[in-house]
Amino acid sequence: MGRAMKDSGVEWIGEIPEDWEIIRFKHLNVGMNTGEGIDKEYWSNNENDMVFYTAGLLPIYTTYQDFPAWKYTCENDLLLARNGTPYVYLPACNACYTDHIIRVTLKKDANRRFVRYGLQQSISSVVINQVSIATWSASLWNEQVLPSPPLSDQQIIADFLDYKCSEIDAVLNKTRASIEEYKHLKQAVITQAVTKGVRGDRPMKESGIDWIGEIPADWQTYRVAHWYEERNEAGCDELPVLMVSIHSGVSDDVVRDEDRNRKSMQSEDKTKYKRVYPGDLVYNMMRAWQGAFGAVRVEGLVSPAYVVAKPKQHLDTRYIEALFRTPAAIEEMRRYSYGVADFRLRLYWQYFKNIRFCLPSLEEQKEIADFIDVRSAEIDTLITKKEQLLTELENYKKSLIYEYVTGKREVSR
């Protein structure tokens, strides 16, 4: 028989057990402070350095030596993100944190692990119910309302949730690792196909191109300029604006993006944009070294920041795109880019046209592209299933925490 319940009067909480109360977070802590602005030159990945919370999902480390002694975290502290995602951290002792983090010292009669579970649920309800909150102020955190069972129950629930969440997290981590393995497999399949072909063992030769290595003996190598020339054709208002997405693998990368471009294009003269046609190659001069490279599928326009390459002869664009989106090709485009820092690198046509690449016959280009399409679709299907599992597990974890932290389910004694 279920235990007696009562209405909490708080929308996100709903009913709670009759012997529970609700409490504002400000009544559970004895003080707050923010951290210090620590320059990135002091950031570290060395586990022997000081644990450092930056408002990211996980802490890193720092070599900073001047963090105020009175601000270091203690055993009954929580850390709360002030910006971005409203994370609630259960910090290690003697850790430091940025000025984007609020340190909270809880009262001794509060179980900080239980409070953390409840506070994360409470603040998440604000995210759901509000349009946009850019900053999570101390006053906003303090106004969060939490369920408050007897301290002995807090301990039992926190222990149970720690155990169950650790089990779920283990599966989540394994699933995420599996997704990354599939992504690496997909890229390896593509790289092997575009540089070695898909016809099995065959005579090979050195390509003379460092980023490609050996290629089949009947393949040829060329400069980009042998097969492409720059296109600088003015656009017109009637055509859609296209862009290249940056992500791993090969897909229909040059796509219509009306939602993103609608506001920026309202007052801008589209005749300044460049016209592109199916079969063209395009890349963003400032982001080619990050993989902003793709083949055009539909007639449209691209930003003046793009370089457009027009084919001189017929090629299977899918093959060319797959080749130039491999990690080695992206690194080669970086090598040919100019600038004093990464964010200022530019890949101009006069340099891109001199990049050398390998090319099989048109028949084999199509054969390789078809193979990549099929294998990529197979791997993408597996990745999608894994991502669906992630979503299901994450939703189950949230539901589990909610049910127990609000007393709707009781831990078996």
Side-chain angles (χ1 to χ4, degrees), residues 6-26:
K6 66 182 179 182
D7 183 12
S8 69
V10 180
E11 184 176 354
W12 81 263
I13 297 175
E15 289 191 332
I16 56 174
E18 276 194 343
D19 60 336
W20 288 28
E21 302 298 332
I22 60 168
I23 189 168
R24 290 197 183 276
F25 183 57
K26 64 183 177 182

Side-chain angles (χ1 to χ4, degrees), residues 25-26 28-34 76-78 80 102-107 138 142:
F25 183 57
K26 64 183 177 182
L28 290 172
N29 69 79
V30 294
M32 295 180 164
N33 68 267
T34 56
N76 213 34
D77 287 348
L78 292 176
L80 315 174
I102 301 168
R103 173 194 169 198
V104 185
T105 300
L106 298 181
K107 293 180 177 178
N142 264 332

Side-chain angles (χ1 to χ4, degrees), residues 38-197:
I38 299 177
D39 194 273
K40 286 189 176 182
E41 68 178 287
Y42 296 103
W43 293 20
S44 166
N45 291 315
N46 187 337
E47 295 182 3
N48 294 319
D49 293 328
M50 190 71 63
V51 177
F52 176 46
Y53 291 83
T54 65
L57 177 60
L58 298 173
I60 56 173
Y61 302 91
T62 182
T63 57
Y64 190 67
Q65 298 295 317
D66 297 323
F67 196 77
W70 65 273
K71 284 190 175 183
Y72 282 108
T73 55
C74 299
E75 62 181 359
N76 213 34
D77 287 348
L78 292 176
L79 295 180
L80 315 174
R82 294 178 61 197
N83 304 100
T85 305
Y87 294 123
V88 181
Y89 306 95
L90 203 66
C93 286
N94 298 313
C96 52
Y97 42 98
T98 75
D99 51 355
H100 297 292
I101 295 281
I102 301 168
R103 173 194 169 198
V104 185
T105 300
L106 298 181
K107 293 180 177 178
K108 294 190 181 299
D109 60 351
N111 183 292
R112 73 167 185 159
R113 290 179 296 126
F114 178 84
V115 172
R116 181 204 186 193
Y117 283 121
L119 188 59
Q120 190 71 75
Q121 292 285 312
S122 180
I123 202 69
S124 294
S125 73
V126 176
V127 177
I128 293 170
N129 294 331
Q130 299 296 321
V131 175
S132 175
I133 298 179
T135 301
W136 309 92
S137 65
S139 60
L140 178 60
W141 283 106
N142 264 332
E143 288 306 306
Q144 297 310 301
V145 180
L146 314 177
S148 180
L151 187 59
S152 58
D153 286 354
Q154 292 182 31
Q155 176 77 36
I156 291 168
I157 293 169
D159 288 345
F160 175 80
L161 287 177
D162 285 350
Y163 173 72
K164 295 299 291 184
C165 288
S166 67
E167 288 187 325
I168 298 169
D169 288 341
V171 180
L172 285 169
N173 291 335
K174 185 176 180 180
T175 305
R176 292 188 187 105
S178 179
I179 289 172
E180 289 305 308
E181 288 173 3
Y182 278 126
K183 288 179 178 178
H184 288 309
L185 172 62
K186 178 180 174 180
Q187 187 58 70
V189 167
I190 293 170
T191 299
Q192 176 73 14
V194 295
T195 60
K196 307 297 183 281

Side-chain angles (χ1 to χ4, degrees), residues 294-305:
V296 178
R297 270 62 168 175
V298 296
E299 186 177 354
L301 305 174
V302 292
S303 160

Side-chain angles (χ1 to χ4, degrees), residues 320-338:
I320 302 297
E321 181 183 74
L323 176 65
F324 276 95
R325 286 186 67 91
T326 59
I330 293 170
E331 182 57 34
E332 184 74 352
M333 286 190 278
R334 179 191 179 95
R335 194 170 71 85
Y336 274 79
S337 299
Y338 281 77

